[in-house]
Amino acid sequence: TVDMKVFFRQMRALVRLSFLELWRRNDVFGLLVLGLALMVPLSMASPFGAAGASRYLDEMALLFTVPGITTLAHLTYPIRYIRKCGKDLSLKPFYPKLRAILGEVVSRGMNLEVNTSGLRQGVGETMPGEEILSLYREAGGTKIAVGSDAHKAEHIGADVKEVTDRLRAAGFTVI
């Protein structure tokens, strides 16, 4: 039997993450269609700033209710767009939520994705960066999946070797 409350929470999390992806792609038509079709609050189409980052982490935590997930990806996704808007956001106020999420990653034996796209897209670091990777190590995390988030053929595998070498040097053993 399916717990409908859990099912709807899972669907809401996936829909909101879909909104973030459409926003990232600057797909205004897609945002409009998804918003109208699913009646998701428009506030989620602009998830930037501290309130948006907090909501994003809450939605990330809901993904642990979805069976079969082996890798948690895009943990710091909003940071890219906050910085592209010329702003910065301290992650320290989010440490309790981040520690809880990273603790779940570790307790479930999951991988944490480290995305190299931030190195070539103006973020200046991998996503997540050293600050979050340090929290992950503190939680006992050792398993990393490295990805380049390639949306163009020339970005496939970009910076993966360099980042993998840095992660090994930092003590991560399963990459």
Side-chain angles (χ1 to χ4, degrees):
T1 176
V2 175
D3 181 340
M4 292 309 287
K5 283 185 179 183
V6 170
F7 173 77
F8 283 114
R9 284 178 31 192
Q10 291 170 348
M11 293 307 297
R12 192 176 79 203
L14 293 172
V15 165
R16 287 184 178 168
L17 289 174
S18 295
F19 261 90
L20 290 170
E21 179 63 18
L22 290 169
W23 182 270
R24 187 185 71 72
R25 292 180 184 178
N26 199 23
D27 184 351
V28 177
F29 179 74
L31 282 168
L32 179 63
V33 170
L34 187 59
L36 291 174
L38 299 172
M39 306 294 276
V40 175
L42 186 58
S43 65
M44 288 312 300
S46 182
F48 305 137
S54 182
R55 280 193 312 268
Y56 181 82
L57 292 174
D58 291 342
E59 297 300 329
M60 278 293 213
L62 285 176
L63 291 175
F64 291 116
T65 65
V66 179
I69 295 177
T70 60
T71 301
L72 183 68
H74 296 289
L75 180 60
T76 55
Y77 184 79
I79 298 300
R80 175 187 302 161
Y81 300 98
I82 291 169
R83 289 185 182 164
K84 280 188 176 184
C85 292
K87 308 229 184 260
D88 204 4
L89 181 69
S90 171
L91 296 176
K92 289 190 190 321
F94 303 105
Y95 277 15
K97 287 183 181 189
L98 288 164
R99 283 189 172 109
I101 289 169
L102 295 169
E104 280 294 316
V105 169
V106 171
S107 72
R108 293 170 184 269
M110 296 170 62
N111 301 297
L112 178 66
E113 183 217 24
V114 173
N115 189 315
T116 68
S117 67
L119 297 173
R120 67 178 185 278
Q121 293 184 1
V123 177
E125 64 182 355
T126 60
M127 296 173 49
E130 181 54 40
E131 182 179 9
I132 302 303
L133 291 173
S134 179
L135 294 176
Y136 182 53
R137 275 193 305 268
E138 287 174 19
T142 59
K143 297 172 73 175
I144 300 283
V146 179
S148 59
D149 196 20
H151 292 241
K152 297 178 181 177
E154 62 266 22
H155 294 156
I156 295 172
D159 301 308
V160 168
K161 182 178 180 346
E162 173 192 333
V163 168
T164 299
D165 292 344
R166 278 197 266 160
L167 289 165
R168 281 200 176 100
F172 291 102
T173 56
V174 181
I175 302 173

